Amino acid sequence: MLHFRWSAALVLCSSAFLAIMPTHAQQQDARSLVQSIVTNELRADANDHSHWMFRDVDKVRGKTTVKLVVQTPEGDLSKTLEMNGQPLTPQQQEADRQKMHQFVTDPVVRQKQKQSHEQDDRKAAAMTKMLPDAFLWTKTGESGDETTLDFKPNPKFNPPTREARVFAAMKGTMVVNTKQKRIKSLKGTLIRNVDFGFGLLGKLQKGGTFNVERQNIGEDVWEITSTHIHIHGHALIFKSIDEEQDEETSDYK
């Protein structure tokens, strides 16, 4: 949105500012693009019933775990390959075998994981639907089939959930593939503190960041291949929130 500074300098330079600042029509054009991308993303996700095997490298709070993951209709079966750059000890290998055996033989374990994944999928879909309205959008670049858009919080948006409150306090950049109408990357920074229960139930600190990268892994299926989350705060007065996660996936088959 335009920000007017009541001064003689602005009057003298108004034509230059108007030439570079996004107009309402430009914002509407950018929002329409985002809406079309979101509609296609949700449709593609609903129609995707494929399953893949891939390599997962996950670093959380200084601990790095490498796994081979196999997706199934009832959840993900994973085999740990190494931890902190070292192969598993015999004891760790046995514990990992027991974990895999339990997944294969115990339907309750599979059901719990399936329900957890379905809940995550519902939350992800809900957040995706909010993209056009939660932010004000501006096109900032185009290159081939890719368009870059900047976003900032929409002051008229009323976040319906706690997750949405965090989401709507971000500004950042989204890159989309306009040919396939898919999101390629989403990067954001928390531009203000987010309090829950006046800060008593929780508080996330300004400056936290997230960076998600996606790729077409084949058959027009797009998967998240890189996730970097760095958010800090506290919850329930005593418990700290120290979300430091860096995850990379590759070798999709």
Side-chain angles (χ1 to χ4, degrees), residues 21-79:
M21 294 300 285
T23 66
H24 177 71
Q26 289 172 330
Q27 287 182 345
Q28 286 298 104
D29 181 53
R31 184 191 179 282
S32 295
L33 173 60
V34 173
Q35 183 63 70
S36 68
I37 296 292
V38 165
T39 299
N40 188 65
E41 284 282 2
L42 295 173
R43 182 189 302 114
D45 187 62
N47 293 332
D48 178 22
H49 305 293
S50 62
H51 300 95
W52 300 79
M53 177 173 68
F54 58 91
R55 179 183 176 89
D56 180 277
V57 181
D58 194 14
K59 182 178 180 181
V60 181
R61 299 182 183 88
K63 179 181 177 181
T64 302
T65 305
V66 180
K67 294 182 178 181
L68 179 66
V69 180
V70 178
Q71 297 175 334
T72 83
E74 297 183 83
D76 295 347
L77 176 63
S78 64
K79 175 179 175 60

Side-chain angles (χ1 to χ4, degrees), residues 190-215:
L190 199 61
I191 62 173
R192 58 176 179 266
N193 294 336
V194 180
D195 295 343
F196 302 108
F198 302 101
L200 296 177
L201 298 180
K203 179 177 183 178
L204 298 181
Q205 297 173 2
K206 173 183 176 181
T209 63
F210 76 91
N211 180 359
V212 175
E213 303 283 342
R214 302 170 78 227
Q215 292 183 17

Side-chain angles (χ1 to χ4, degrees), residues 162 196-197 199-203 233-241:
R162 288 188 178 185
F196 302 108
L200 296 177
L201 298 180
K203 179 177 183 178
H234 71 270
L236 297 176
I237 304 177
F238 310 107
K239 185 179 179 182
S240 65
I241 300 170

